[in-house]
Amino acid sequence: MDLMVWRTFVTVCRLGSLSAAAAELHHTQSAVSRQIAGLERQLGVPLMERHARGVRPTAAGKVFRHHALATLNEADRAVRAAREAGDEAAFNRPLTVGATPSLAAGVVPEAIRALLKETGSLRWSLLPGLSTPLHDRVVSGELDIAVVTDAPPGLPHDPRTERRFLGVDDMVVALPVDHPRAGGDPVRMRALADETWAEDNDGSAALLHQHAARAGVSARIELTAADLPGKLALVATGHAIALIPGVLTRGLRTDVTTVSLVDPPTRGVYTVVPRRDPHPCTAALLDHLATAFASVRPGHDGVTSGPGVAADRYGPKAR
């Protein structure tokens, strides 16, 4: 099959429009339409269906797009690897890193800074996101490495990736600085049963509900934020309290503080890299990520700690 046609199909899926895809690819709309029709004839199944605002993939189209994207990224890597073989230019290959918002806020930039001290000039980019989509982008070749967690719904196992356990992150409760519990000893969830909570994603909300259920109470999540900064803004202004990753403790805004939980909910932190054609800087970056994560965990440099890190390289089971 012609990979150019595959690129056309993936572009149409991304843009949801034959005309928009034609403009981006510098083709005519009729040429794009013929390519899609020819691909459907080859496969023997319809890949696209029209709707009021354009086109979208059918169920078969969605499956084909997933594999086509991975194949195209692998083809691009093959071309790049062939051109760079035996050449130091391999280390000039851009490094694309994905990370969950809390890890992108401190751990990953710190590790990248240490890496740049070793490598000198290196083109790199950081793409925040949630764990499962980031994992999928490693599989598809869009990311060289992802720093993720096993918070609900957990991490998929894929033979095309290699996972490394960095450690356990204890969740803490973010409070406005004038909250009665601010600066106090670790508290039990039951003591917070009357509080209003804010959340920004389903994984953190699931951890909060699970922890509350174990304590025999319920957590009233009455406010929803679009992202982590929005959740912290709700806390800072006194509208709610929130469950946040412990790795954020040292980098919080000045009008927000934290209190530890007794037997806190935890999440394992991992790196995910492709097994094939890893970036030349991957090994060094993994070591720097481990060091950076250890330095920001609650319990480092005198901050109150929670449960220790399990010795198993795959980490503790999610609680």
Side-chain angles (χ1 to χ4, degrees), residues 212-284:
R214 289 201 306 271
V217 297
S218 60
R220 293 187 294 111
I221 303 176
E222 296 185 357
L223 295 173
T224 302
D227 51 25
L228 185 56
K231 181 162 73 170
L232 292 175
L234 290 172
V235 173
T237 50
H239 294 292
I241 64 175
L243 191 69
I244 64 169
V247 294
L248 289 175
T249 300
R250 294 200 314 184
L252 286 176
R253 48 190 288 175
T254 57
D255 47 5
V256 173
T257 188
T258 64
V259 65
S260 298
L261 286 166
V262 175
D263 187 25
T266 64
R267 58 184 196 159
V269 177
Y270 298 82
T271 58
V272 179
V273 298
R275 290 188 181 276
R276 298 181 61 186
D277 189 28
H279 191 281
C281 294
T282 294

Side-chain angles (χ1 to χ4, degrees), residues 68-156:
L69 187 58
T71 299
L72 291 170
N73 281 311
E74 190 64 26
D76 290 340
R77 286 177 179 270
V79 171
R80 189 165 57 238
R83 290 172 176 170
E84 295 171 346
D87 191 335
E88 290 185 0
F91 287 90
N92 292 325
R93 170 175 150 189
L95 175 68
T96 307
V97 182
T100 60
S102 61
L103 295 164
V107 171
V108 175
E110 182 67 28
I112 292 289
R113 180 173 66 173
L115 177 67
L116 293 177
K117 288 181 179 179
E118 290 182 0
T119 64
S121 178
L122 174 68
R123 288 180 295 157
W124 65 280
S125 58
L126 175 58
L127 304 176
L130 298 181
S131 292
T132 299
L134 289 175
H135 175 277
D136 292 343
R137 296 179 77 174
V138 171
V139 173
S140 71
E142 295 176 74
L143 295 176
D144 294 302
I145 182 171
V147 191
V148 296
T149 79
D150 62 4
L155 282 174

Side-chain angles (χ1 to χ4, degrees), residues 25 29 37 96 215 229 265:
L25 297 170
Q29 182 172 336
T96 307

Side-chain angles (χ1 to χ4, degrees), residues 1 5-6 9 36-47 60-61 63-65 68:
M1 290 186 179
V5 176
W6 289 30
F9 173 74
I36 299 299
L39 186 58
E40 290 178 323
R41 284 195 300 271
Q42 282 184 296
L43 298 178
V45 292
L47 299 176
V63 172
F64 182 73
R65 177 192 173 279

Side-chain angles (χ1 to χ4, degrees), residues 134-209:
L134 289 175
H135 175 277
D136 292 343
R137 296 179 77 174
V138 171
V139 173
S140 71
E142 295 176 74
L143 295 176
D144 294 302
I145 182 171
V147 191
V148 296
T149 79
D150 62 4
L155 282 174
H157 288 274
D158 193 301
R160 294 167 292 183
T161 63
E162 183 174 352
R163 205 162 76 183
R164 176 175 174 178
F165 176 60
L166 294 182
V168 174
D169 186 24
D170 297 339
M171 305 295 284
V172 298
V173 178
L175 307 169
V177 292
D178 58 354
H179 192 281
R181 298 281 180 180
D185 294 330
V187 300
R188 296 186 180 278
M189 187 64 192
R190 185 174 293 277
L192 304 174
D194 294 331
E195 297 280 356
T196 296
W197 294 79
E199 269 307 341
D200 65 324
N201 69 79
D202 292 340
S204 180
L207 285 177
L208 176 58
H209 284 309

